[in-house]
Amino acid sequence: MKPDLIDLIYLVAAILFVIGLKGLTKPRTAVRGNLIGALAMFIAVVVTMLHQDVISVTGLLVAIAIGSAAGVVLALKIEMTAMPQLVALFNGLGGGASVLVAGAYLAGNEFAARLASGDHFSDVLTATAASGLIGAITLSGSLVAFAKLQELKFIKDVSFPGQKILNLVLALASIGVGVLVVQQPGHANLWYWLMAALATGLGILLVISIGGADMPVVIALLNSYSGLAASATGFVLNNNLLIIAGSLVGASGLILTRIMCDAMNRSLWAVLFGTMQSGGSSQSDDDVYANVKSTSADEVAMMLEVAQTVVIVPGYGMAVAQAQHAVRDLTNKLLEKDIDVQFGIHPVAGRMPGHMNVLLAEADIDYERLKEMEEVNSMMDQVDVAIVLGANDVVNPLARTDPNSPIAGMPIIDVDKARTVVVVKRSLSPGFAGIANPLFAADNALMLFGDGKQAITEITKAFDES
Amino acid sequence: MILLLTVFALAVFLGVEIITKIPPTLHTPLMSGSNAISGITLVGAILAAGGNNGTLASVLGFSAVVCATMNVVGGFVVTNRMLAMFKSRK
């Protein structure tokens, strides 16, 4: 195929990526948007295979078959609750691919020929270094995120004094070695892999100290990185399609990161440099929890009977307990009796942006009932019963009242303004932020201790029998 | 190179414009879908693996093709699975 024709078809693919991504921003067009994106990718791959320089098509087909089979099996087998780690894993693979492609370029004949001709082409080498650097951070960071989300035993939150300084040293060292890739093209291969190794270490260190509550931010950020890595690879290969698709992803990831940061009142800067702090408690738990009242499923059912408006606020605890189907059953029972049920979704509830929405949708809960934080807060003082299900920090009023709290200023769902708050939780243990929650001891709050799924099932049963 | 940078800058702005107003309901599918798109590195991987580039480059390229294909195919399939759940009810 002629190079011009190939470029023209790449342009078509790029346009389709834009249309597909645009489709993903509205519920009605999202399925089609995703399919258009997949079609664009298919076109791009087929055209690339017809490229005049591509000679070993059989080998490629084998590789594509292996990757497709593994991808499809993972994508179809995974539980919806495990979605964040799967996305993290795929993300890491994308970053890894960028590292390998840039490495292959340096190992290839074209590079050797240009080197022998004394051509310096520092622009291409800069892009190669960038591709390897960002790709390696994405790969190792994503794998650590995957391991943490999967709760693999060998991985622990690691933080030690001087960690930030070590991060900075590693960042500067990998950039420094990246500069050597450009300046000493004769040893580019050596420097490149050394840089990739340093960046791998940096990616591990950046993510390993980050707790579960900050995971949505990290995943969004790594997603952005994987796009930038692909874009940098496009600069290496002089390929517009990679640049366009990669930067679209980079931009979308960055916006999601910013939304997540706003939702937690964190600065983007702190996230970028892995300096997110975890807090200590300013008050002893005993003082905070002096007046905690516990309740039973029967009592909650009685309250629900006389309620007109109920708001359910799910958190990661709901995901862990796999309680979304039990919640659906309760919702349907309440709706049958003309009790209004809404869901208050905090932007960072769960472990990736929008995680709760997916879980509730999986349980066939109408997405019209899923309300954003602002919307649900504006109606909260008219709510009869608010049920907090496995959520902690996103409903902690300390965010409003205590300027010294680690979550100070973080927008929360104001369940404390509802007439009655029922908190379904295993114990009084603190959430990811590690601070006590005065909500649990508030006058209008009742604790229902137990497993989320079991508790909701019991409430439903009691409600049904009454 | 300036031309490529121009393309990059324009695409970033385009991306920001498109994504800015997404509802939180779609954050996860959007992320997973855009993640699949980031697997566009696959095109680079095919060029690296399929060309006449010597053994080392071909091996690296082959591995890159496997990684990127998993990213791409798995990403689109899982996004579709998620979106199907949103679609099932009106």
Side-chain angles (χ1 to χ4, degrees):
Chain A
M1 258 182 153
K2 281 194 180 130
D4 276 356
L5 183 59
I6 290 176
D7 278 341
L8 204 60
I9 298 175
Y10 278 163
L11 175 63
V12 172
I15 292 169
L16 288 176
F17 278 131
V18 173
I19 295 172
L21 209 49
K22 196 166 162 51
L24 277 172
T25 59
K26 287 203 192 78
R28 247 161 35 94
T29 54
V31 174
R32 198 175 59 207
N34 186 50
L35 291 176
I36 292 173
L39 173 70
M41 191 65 78
F42 181 75
I43 293 173
V45 167
V46 171
V47 168
T48 310
M49 301 276 264
L50 297 174
H51 201 287
Q52 54 196 352
D53 292 342
V54 171
I55 44 174
S56 67
V57 175
T58 327
L60 285 175
L61 287 177
V62 172
I64 289 176
I66 296 172
S68 304
V72 168
V73 169
L74 280 173
L76 293 180
K77 289 263 166 155
I78 197 97
E79 292 277 342
M80 279 296 151
T81 34
M83 192 60 68
Q85 45 269 50
L86 184 70
V87 173
L89 179 66
F90 285 155
N91 204 30
L93 289 170
S98 291
V99 177
L100 292 168
V101 173
Y105 174 78
L106 291 180
N109 294 340
E110 188 195 328
F111 176 74
R114 285 183 80 168
L115 196 63
S117 73
D119 192 354
H120 270 302
F121 56 99
S122 53
D123 47 359
V124 175
L125 282 169
T126 307
T128 312
S131 177
L133 182 70
I134 306 169
I137 294 175
T138 311
L139 172 64
S140 62
S142 297
L143 290 182
V144 173
F146 168 80
K148 286 191 146 199
L149 291 165
Q150 189 69 35
E151 292 176 10
L152 294 181
K153 290 275 185 297
F154 65 88
I155 203 112
K156 298 227 162 61
D157 284 3
V158 177
S159 54
F160 49 88
Q163 191 169 10
K164 285 170 198 170
I165 295 169
L166 183 59
N167 285 355
L168 187 67
V169 169
L170 269 178
L172 292 177
S174 43
I175 292 170
V177 177
V179 171
L180 289 178
V181 173
V182 182
Q183 293 196 329
Q184 303 184 355
H187 302 288
N189 269 300
L190 174 71
W191 293 130
Y192 177 81
W193 291 108
L194 179 62
M195 181 202 68
L198 288 169
T200 301
L202 178 61
I204 294 173
L205 279 177
L206 282 175
V207 180
I208 203 153
S209 59
I210 292 171
D214 288 321
M215 269 304 159
V217 189
V218 175
I219 302 217
L221 188 65
L222 288 169
N223 187 38
S224 177
Y225 285 172
S226 74
L228 294 178
S231 207
T233 311
F235 282 92
V236 178
L237 302 173
N238 198 7
N239 186 314
N240 275 326
L241 180 61
L242 262 72
I243 294 175
I244 295 171
S247 44
L248 287 174
V249 177
S252 98
L254 204 60
I255 287 171
L256 283 175
T257 310
R258 213 186 60 200
I259 292 174
M260 297 298 119
C261 281
D262 288 350
M264 304 183 69
N265 195 34
R266 300 251 194 230
S267 78
L268 187 56
W269 207 243
V271 181
L272 284 171
F273 292 99
T275 56
M276 286 192 271
Q277 76 283 31
S278 54
S281 62
S282 48
Q283 252 178 315
S284 97
D285 291 1
D286 292 342
D287 292 347
V288 176
Y289 293 142
N291 296 313
V292 168
K293 297 178 289 289
S294 69
T295 184
S296 66
D298 289 336
E299 202 183 341
V300 176
M302 275 187 283
M303 281 187 299
L304 291 175
E305 273 169 54
V306 293
Q308 284 180 321
T309 314
V310 175
V311 164
I312 300 176
V313 179
Y316 189 68
M318 181 188 81
V320 173
Q322 296 262 19
Q324 62 269 33
H325 299 279
V327 170
R328 186 251 340 264
D329 295 339
L330 177 62
T331 307
N332 288 343
K333 288 274 185 265
L334 293 172
L335 290 174
E336 276 170 26
K337 299 216 172 153
D338 282 333
I339 300 167
D340 183 41
V341 186
Q342 307 285 346
F343 290 81
I345 315 277
H346 193 278
V348 292
R351 297 233 166 147
M352 72 185 289
H355 190 196
M356 288 300 124
N357 296 293
V358 173
L359 292 179
L360 294 172
E362 184 205 5
D364 272 341
I365 290 168
D366 189 348
Y367 67 73
E368 302 280 326
R369 297 198 175 279
L370 313 183
K371 301 293 183 212
E372 295 173 35
M373 181 168 57
E374 292 84 17
E375 200 178 341
V376 86
N377 276 347
S378 65
M379 58 179 271
M380 201 48 97
D381 45 8
Q382 286 133 48
V383 169
D384 297 307
V385 183
I387 300 177
V388 177
L389 181 56
N392 245 315
D393 301 326
V394 298
V395 294
N396 193 334
L398 277 184
R400 287 195 312 254
T401 56
D402 179 2
N404 297 320
S405 157
I407 56 166
M410 170 174 143
I412 57 161
I413 297 193
D414 300 326
V415 285
D416 51 328
K417 291 184 180 161
R419 226 148 284 158
T420 311
V421 187
V422 177
V423 181
V424 181
K425 201 169 168 345
R426 285 169 183 280
S427 68
L428 287 170
S429 65
F432 294 119
I435 46 175
N437 191 340
L439 170 75
F440 301 164
D443 290 340
N444 61 340
L446 297 166
M447 299 297 300
L448 180 56
F449 291 110
D451 173 75
K453 186 178 179 180
Q454 204 183 345
I456 296 293
T457 311
E458 280 169 15
I459 296 174
T460 312
K461 218 169 120 208
F463 183 80
D464 210 22
E465 283 167 0
S466 59
Chain B
M1 190 49 87
I2 298 293
L3 201 62
L4 295 179
L5 276 173
T6 311
V7 170
F8 174 74
L10 289 177
V12 169
F13 278 104
L14 181 63
V16 170
E17 281 306 312
I18 294 174
I19 308 295
T20 306
K21 289 200 172 148
I22 21 152
T25 309
L26 289 176
H27 280 166
T28 298
L30 176 83
M31 172 169 286
S32 139
S34 70
N35 186 10
I37 293 176
S38 79
I40 187 70
T41 311
L42 177 54
V43 166
I46 291 173
L47 291 173
N52 180 22
N53 265 324
T55 318
L56 179 58
S58 297
V59 171
L60 290 172
F62 186 90
S63 322
V65 172
V66 175
C67 288
T69 315
M70 268 178 84
N71 184 194
V72 166
V73 176
F76 281 121
V77 171
V78 90
T79 309
N80 195 54
R81 217 182 120 197
M82 271 189 262
L83 290 169
M85 299 180 320
F86 283 101
K87 211 187 174 190
S88 65
R89 306 246 303 196
K90 283 244 164 120

